[in-house]
Amino acid sequence: MKLYHTLRNVGRFRTVFDFGGREVAHWFPGHMAKGLKQMKANLKSVDCIIEIHDARIPFSGRNPVFQENLDVKPHLLILNKMDLADLSSKQRILTTLQNNGVRNVIFTDCLKQRDDNIKELVPMVVDIIGKEPRFNRYENRNYCLMVIGVPNVGKSSLINSLRRTNLKKGRASRVGGEPGITKAVLTKIQVCERPIMHLLDTPGVLPPKIESVETGMKLALCGSILDHLVGEDIIADYLLYSLNRTGKFSYVEKYDLQEPSDDIQNVLKRIAVKLGKTQRVKAITGVGNITVTVPNYTAAAYDFIRAFRKGELGQVMLD
């Protein structure tokens, strides 16, 4: 009977998210503009462009500024963080991408110590490059690749994973859990000995104008836009909406809820109570000021979002 009531309530949940007339968060700091300019300047010495994107949003948020340059050079799309994505619709994703002209695609988990898909990358890149004229680089047997993508999708992790797999060496690029760690186009980083192959690490670059509020929200949820530019409360609410819409209810067990909920305030209150995230505030009453303990909704929202990004709420597909 309880299951029946739970499923019945889920049927009443939101089917459309109300963005409340919000504007898309624009985040295009100076290092992005400088990085984009340097990337274009280095294209002549590049044999192949490696575009890396979050596998949870395979269609949303890919920078159109990049795509304008993809026709110039051979192109490989890497959908990273596959361990966090629900890939039950993998074939649909590949078909849609192919219909949009993206034929070379690899799914990876670059933080994994041994990722078999990473081993496929070098032979695949050599094959892709071999099918295209190299013009001024025709006699050069060394390969130079450029890694591009929006912030925090794993570009530096890819470079480190390739070095670990092919050279048995440690990391060459700093890795972080928030956007903006790589802020300049770096010198060439060798990632393979046979054949000799170098990668150019680049800063994550968002488009100067994001196509829609929902695309911006998906980018924010995946950590490509700084949380405070959008607001932890609205990101947490969009996360709850997305989990319910895709039937991912593991948050119920994780936070000891009685059933799925469509009320973000109720969910955040439960999270705050369970994790002890409270704050003391002064309240004015008729008999004077008193100090009361209330849930810290911002801290609870941050924990909810962080749990999603770490895969603690299950594998999710946002597109």
Side-chain angles (χ1 to χ4, degrees):
M1 181 63 70
K2 183 178 180 181
L3 178 62
Y4 167 76
H5 283 295
T6 298
L7 294 177
R8 184 181 66 179
N9 290 336
V10 167
R12 298 174 180 173
F13 286 178
R14 292 170 290 179
T15 57
V16 177
F17 190 81
D18 181 10
F19 293 101
R22 287 176 176 264
E23 296 286 332
V24 180
H26 295 298
W27 186 46
F28 196 70
H31 76 268
M32 286 191 186
K34 180 180 178 182
L36 192 58
K37 184 177 180 180
Q38 287 180 300
M39 288 155 65
K40 290 179 178 178
N42 277 286
L43 274 178
K44 285 186 179 180
S45 63
V46 170
D47 296 302
C48 182
I49 292 176
I50 308 294
E51 181 190 4
I52 186 164
H53 200 61
D54 196 306
R56 293 168 292 184
I57 49 172
F59 314 126
S60 296
R62 290 176 57 213
N63 194 333
V65 177
F66 293 153
Q67 295 176 52
E68 291 170 6
N69 295 308
L70 296 184
D71 292 335
V72 178
K73 297 287 181 178
H75 169 234
L76 171 64
L77 174 63
I78 294 179
L79 293 174
N80 191 35
K81 305 186 181 182
M82 61 179 287
D83 56 311
L84 306 179
D86 179 359
L87 296 181
S88 58
S89 58
K90 181 178 178 179
Q91 192 53 53
R92 172 186 67 87
I93 294 170
L94 292 173
T95 300
T96 302
L97 288 171
Q98 189 168 23
N99 291 339
N100 290 328
V102 183
R103 294 174 177 80
N104 305 308
V105 182
I106 293 181
F107 289 84
T108 62
D109 173 10
C110 290
L111 290 180
K112 194 175 180 181
Q113 285 300 310
R114 291 177 61 87
D115 183 358
D116 290 337
N117 291 353
I118 287 292
K119 295 179 182 178
E120 299 177 16
L121 194 145
V122 170
M124 190 171 184
V125 165
V126 172
D127 181 62
I128 293 171
I129 294 173
K131 294 177 180 178
E132 300 284 342
R134 295 181 74 196
F135 300 112
N136 60 308
R137 293 181 54 77
Y138 180 73
E139 296 181 358
N140 194 330
R141 292 296 91 193
N142 298 346
Y143 296 102
C144 181
L145 319 177
M146 180 181 287
V147 184
I148 64 173
V150 299
N152 203 28
V153 290
K155 294 179 295 299
S156 297
S157 296
L158 170 67
I159 291 175
N160 295 334
S161 182
L162 284 167
R163 284 173 59 82
R164 189 167 59 241
T165 300
N166 300 314
L167 299 176
K168 312 302 179 187
K169 292 184 178 180
R171 70 184 194 180
S173 292
R174 185 179 165 206
V175 176
E178 64 179 41
I181 291 296
T182 304
K183 292 188 175 176
V185 177
L186 305 180
T187 54
K188 291 181 180 179
I189 300 171
Q190 186 171 356
V191 294
C192 190
E193 185 68 38
R194 296 183 180 178
I196 295 177
M197 187 173 289
H198 294 82
L199 289 185
L200 291 176
D201 193 9
T202 66
V205 178
L206 288 167
K209 185 174 183 180
I210 297 172
E211 60 189 81
S212 70
V213 177
E214 184 153 20
T215 294
M217 197 63 66
K218 290 177 181 179
L219 286 167
L221 185 51
C222 291
S224 292
I225 299 176
L226 292 172
D227 291 343
H228 72 268
L229 294 175
V230 180
E232 287 85 352
D233 55 341
I234 186 70
I235 297 175
D237 194 18
Y238 185 75
L239 170 57
L240 180 63
Y241 160 77
S242 298
L243 293 173
N244 289 334
R245 179 178 57 84
T246 54
K248 304 291 184 179
F249 302 121
S250 59
Y251 68 89
V252 175
E253 181 178 356
K254 178 174 176 60
Y255 295 115
D256 294 336
L257 275 67
Q258 292 185 341
E259 60 183 7
S261 174
D262 198 31
D263 183 346
I264 188 60
Q265 293 300 314
N266 175 57
V267 171
L268 294 182
K269 182 177 180 180
R270 294 294 304 173
I271 294 174
V273 171
K274 175 177 173 59
L275 302 181
K277 295 185 181 296
T278 58
Q279 56 187 352
R280 295 174 66 81
V281 298
K282 288 185 178 181
I284 302 174
T285 69
V287 293
N289 296 347
I290 61 172
T291 301
V292 296
T293 301
V294 298
N296 187 332
Y297 288 98
T298 300
Y302 175 79
D303 189 271
F304 191 36
I305 296 165
R306 183 191 59 81
F308 164 77
R309 291 173 181 165
K310 293 179 67 177
E312 296 173 2
L313 302 181
Q315 296 174 314
V316 181
M317 178 60 64
L318 297 175
D319 277 346

